[in-house]
C-alpha cells in the first residue's frame, strides 16, 4: 500500500513537468505549421494526452477485462470536463469562442449518444467498434480540412527550431505517459485492496490517473494564458476517448454491459460537455466551474451506487 501511495505522488510530480514541456511543443508545432493553436490542441494535443487511456484500455481488453477500459474512457470524459475544466475555471474565467469549439462540442455530445445507442443490446460488439472508429476518422478528416483552410501566411519564426519542438513534445509526452501509468498503478492497487468492481475502478480511480496528462496540460495552459489550448484539448480528448478508445477496445474484445454504471458515465459526460457552451460574451466563468464540480460530485455518488 505504501508503494501505491508513493506511485500516486510521483505521478503528480511527473505530470507537472510533462505538462509544461508538452504545452511548449504543441504551441511550437502550431506556429511552425501555421495552424490555429486550438486545432492543434484538439487533435495532436488530445491524441497525445489520451495516450494513457489508449494504453490502459488496450491492455485491459487484451487481458479479458474490457470493462476497465470502457470505464476508463467514459469516466475520463467526466473527469476532463466536470473536474479538470471546473478547476481551471475556478482559477480564472476562460475566453471560449463558439466558432472554435463548435465541431468538438457537437461531436463530443453525439459520441456519448452513439455509444449509448450501440450499447442498448447489452454489448459493444466488434461491429460497434468499427462504427465508432469510422466516426473518429470522419471527425479527424473534418479537422484536417479545417486546418488546411485556416493556415496562415508564412511568418518569421524567431527562435523556433523544429528539432526543439520535437524534443519538447516527445519528452513532455513521455513524462505524461509515465505519470499516468504511475497514478493508474497506484490507484488500481488501492482500489483492488478494497474490493472495488472493475467498471467502478475504471470510471473513477483509473480515469483520474489517465487524465493526469490533460490535467497538467490544461492547468499550465490556463496559467500561461492560452485559453484556446485548454478547452480545445479537453473537448478533443473527450471525442478521442469516446470514438477511438472505446471503438478500439470493442474491436479487440466485445464489451458486455452490466449494471447502470455506463449510463451514469455517459449521461454525466454529455451534461458536463453541454455546460461548456459559452454565452454571448464567449466567456466561461467561475459559476460554470461550480456547476461542473457539482456534476462531478453527483456522478461519483451515482457511480458508487449503480456501478458498485
Amino acid at each position: 500500500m505504501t508503494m501505491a501511495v508513493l506511485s500516486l505522488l510521483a505521478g503528480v510530480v511527473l505530470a507537472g513537468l510533462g505538462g509544461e514541456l508538452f504545452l511548449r511543443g504543441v504551441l511550437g508545432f502550431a506556429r511552425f505549421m501555421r495552424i490555429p493553436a486550438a486545432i492543434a490542441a484538439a487533435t495532436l494535443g488530445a491524441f497525445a494526452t489520451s495516450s494513457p487511456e489508449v494504453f490502459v484500455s488496450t491492455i485491459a481488453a487484451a487481458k479479458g477485462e474490457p470493462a476497465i477500459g470502457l470505464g476508463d474512457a467514459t469516466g475520463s470524459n467526466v473527469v476532463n470536463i466536470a473536474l479538470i475544466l471546473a478547476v481551471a475555471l475556478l482559477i480564472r474565467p476562460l475566453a471560449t469562442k463558439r466558432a472554435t469549439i463548435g465541431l468538438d462540442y457537437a461531436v463530443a455530445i453525439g459520441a456519448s449518444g452513439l455509444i449509448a445507442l450501440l450499447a442498448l443490446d447489452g454489448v459493444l460488439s466488434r461491429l460497434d467498434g468499427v462504427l465508432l472508429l469510422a466516426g473518429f476518422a470522419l471527425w479527424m478528416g473534418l479537422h484536417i480540412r479545417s486546418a488546411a483552410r485556416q493556415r496562415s501566411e508564412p511568418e518569421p519564426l524567431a527562435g523556433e527550431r523544429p528539432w526543439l519542438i520535437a524534443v519538447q513534445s516527445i519528452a513532455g509526452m513521455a513524462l505524461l505517459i509515465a505519470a499516468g501509468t504511475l497514478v493508474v498503478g497506484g490507484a488500481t492497487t488501492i482500489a483492488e485492496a478494497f474490493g472495488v468492481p472493475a467498471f467502478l475502478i475504471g470510471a473513477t480511480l483509473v480515469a483520474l490517473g489517465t487524465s493526469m496528462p490533460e490535467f497538467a496540460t490544461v492547468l499550465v495552459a490556463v496559467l500561461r494564458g492560452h485559453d484556446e489550448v485548454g478547452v480545445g484539448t479537453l473537448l478533443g480528448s473527450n471525442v478521442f476517448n469516446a470514438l477511438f478508445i472505446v471503438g478500439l477496445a470493442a474491436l479487440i474484445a466485445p464489451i458486455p454491459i452490466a449494471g447502470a454504471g455506463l449510463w451514469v458515465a455517459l449521461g454525466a459526460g454529455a451534461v458536463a460537455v453541454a455546460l461548456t457552451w459559452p454565452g454571448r460574451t464567449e466567456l466561461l466563468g467561475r459559476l460554470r466551474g461550480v456547476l461542473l464540480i457539482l456534476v462531478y460530485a453527483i456522478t461519483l455518488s451515482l457511480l458508487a451506487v449503480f456501478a458498485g
Side-chain angles (χ1 to χ4, degrees), residues 173-274:
M173 195 62 252
L175 289 174
L176 291 175
I177 292 174
T181 302
L182 287 171
V183 173
V184 168
T188 303
T189 299
I190 294 171
E192 289 178 343
F194 289 96
V196 180
F199 182 87
L200 188 55
I201 292 175
T204 54
L205 293 177
V206 177
L208 277 170
T210 55
S211 292
M212 287 303 296
E214 288 92 339
F215 188 71
T217 300
V218 169
L219 284 189
V220 172
V222 169
L223 294 174
R224 295 286 188 272
H226 299 290
D227 295 10
E228 72 288 356
V229 172
V231 178
T233 296
L234 292 177
L235 287 176
S237 179
N238 272 31
V239 174
F240 189 86
N241 289 343
L243 296 180
F244 183 82
I245 294 177
V246 175
L248 182 62
L251 191 62
I252 294 172
I255 308 173
I257 308 301
L262 175 63
W263 313 110
V264 171
L266 290 175
V271 169
V273 171

Side-chain angles (χ1 to χ4, degrees), residues 8-18 179 212:
L8 286 172
L9 295 176
V12 171
V13 173
L14 290 181
L17 296 174
M212 287 303 296

Side-chain angles (χ1 to χ4, degrees), residues 25 28-29 32 157 159-169:
F29 177 81
F32 183 75
L157 298 175
E160 292 291 349
R161 288 163 287 185
W163 67 267
L164 182 58
I165 294 172
V167 169
Q168 289 175 334
S169 299

Side-chain angles (χ1 to χ4, degrees), residues 63-296:
K63 289 185 175 181
E65 290 286 353
I68 291 180
L70 180 63
D72 180 27
T74 55
S76 291
N77 282 358
V78 180
V79 172
N80 283 348
I81 306 299
L83 181 60
I84 296 175
L85 181 59
V87 171
L89 292 177
L90 292 177
I91 294 174
R92 69 174 179 84
L94 299 181
T96 309
K97 295 181 180 180
R98 297 180 183 181
T100 300
I101 70 169
L103 173 62
D104 300 327
Y105 176 89
V107 175
I109 293 178
S112 293
L114 179 58
I115 293 175
L117 181 64
L118 295 174
L120 285 176
D121 61 355
V123 63
L124 287 173
S125 66
R126 287 189 171 89
L127 177 59
D128 295 336
V130 171
L131 292 175
L132 290 171
L133 291 172
F136 174 76
L138 177 60
W139 172 73
M140 279 296 295
L142 291 174
H143 261 306
I144 292 172
R145 182 180 178 184
S146 177
R149 288 201 310 266
Q150 296 184 52
R151 290 194 75 186
S152 60
E153 293 299 320
E155 297 178 1
L157 298 175
E160 292 291 349
R161 288 163 287 185
W163 67 267
L164 182 58
I165 294 172
V167 169
Q168 289 175 334
S169 299
I170 294 171
M173 195 62 252
L175 289 174
L176 291 175
I177 292 174
T181 302
L182 287 171
V183 173
V184 168
T188 303
T189 299
I190 294 171
E192 289 178 343
F194 289 96
V196 180
F199 182 87
L200 188 55
I201 292 175
T204 54
L205 293 177
V206 177
L208 277 170
T210 55
S211 292
M212 287 303 296
E214 288 92 339
F215 188 71
T217 300
V218 169
L219 284 189
V220 172
V222 169
L223 294 174
R224 295 286 188 272
H226 299 290
D227 295 10
E228 72 288 356
V229 172
V231 178
T233 296
L234 292 177
L235 287 176
S237 179
N238 272 31
V239 174
F240 189 86
N241 289 343
L243 296 180
F244 183 82
I245 294 177
V246 175
L248 182 62
L251 191 62
I252 294 172
I255 308 173
I257 308 301
L262 175 63
W263 313 110
V264 171
L266 290 175
V271 169
V273 171
L275 288 173
T276 65
W277 190 248
R280 293 181 180 179
T281 60
E282 296 196 320
L283 188 72
L284 297 178
R286 289 189 172 90
L287 177 59
R288 202 76 65 98
V290 172
L291 291 175
L292 288 171
I293 286 289
L294 288 175
V295 169
Y296 186 66

Side-chain angles (χ1 to χ4, degrees), residues 28-76:
F29 177 81
R31 288 191 295 268
F32 183 75
M33 295 300 295
R34 311 197 313 276
I35 60 176
I39 292 179
T43 51
L44 174 66
F47 183 94
T49 55
S50 290
S51 295
E53 283 93 336
V54 174
F55 173 79
V56 169
S57 299
T58 301
I59 296 300
K63 289 185 175 181
E65 290 286 353
I68 291 180
L70 180 63
D72 180 27
T74 55
S76 291

